[in-house]
Amino acid sequence: INGELLLVSFLPGLIFKDAYCLDVHLFMKALPQTLLWAFPTVLAGTSLMAVFVYYILGYDWDFFLCMTFGAIVSATDPVSVSALLQELGAPPRLQTHISGESLLNDGSA
């Protein structure tokens, strides 16, 4: 199966489901913190994984390939975390942070 076909077929459904269930007013209130979680922390995780692979594991890869590997490995999908938070009755603001971070990460993909 073509990777682009998978991305185009599954990603819109995931984004729509999260966006439909999200409280817009609470999301806008939590947007600065969500932006802080979504982009810099994913970049930091990708960079740390790339440095780990490049220096610690010692593969004969150039650093850009290590960054690509880090981006693939450090990607998270908090769908199960969101379901668990709803089941446990977590505060709505925490659920909004997790769902908003997921939306911004999936939308940037």
Side-chain angles (χ1 to χ4, degrees), residues 57-95:
L57 296 182
Y59 291 128
D60 191 24
W61 295 349
D62 64 343
F63 193 71
F64 293 116
L65 183 60
C66 292
M67 285 292 286
T68 304
F69 179 76
I72 292 170
V73 173
S74 68
T76 59
D77 185 25
V79 172
S80 60
V81 175
S82 295
L84 183 64
L85 288 175
Q86 286 180 345
E87 184 178 316
L88 294 175
R93 186 166 176 134
L94 180 61
Q95 293 177 10

Side-chain angles (χ1 to χ4, degrees), residues 19-33:
Y20 186 74
C21 296
L22 192 65
D23 183 7
V24 176
H25 299 291
L26 194 56
F27 175 73
M28 293 306 288
K29 189 174 181 180
L31 186 62
Q33 292 173 343

Side-chain angles (χ1 to χ4, degrees), residues 31-52:
L31 186 62
Q33 292 173 343
T34 305
L35 287 173
L36 182 66
W37 283 6
F39 299 112
T41 54
V42 171
L43 182 62
T46 299
S47 300
L48 286 173
M49 181 56 72
V51 166
F52 176 76

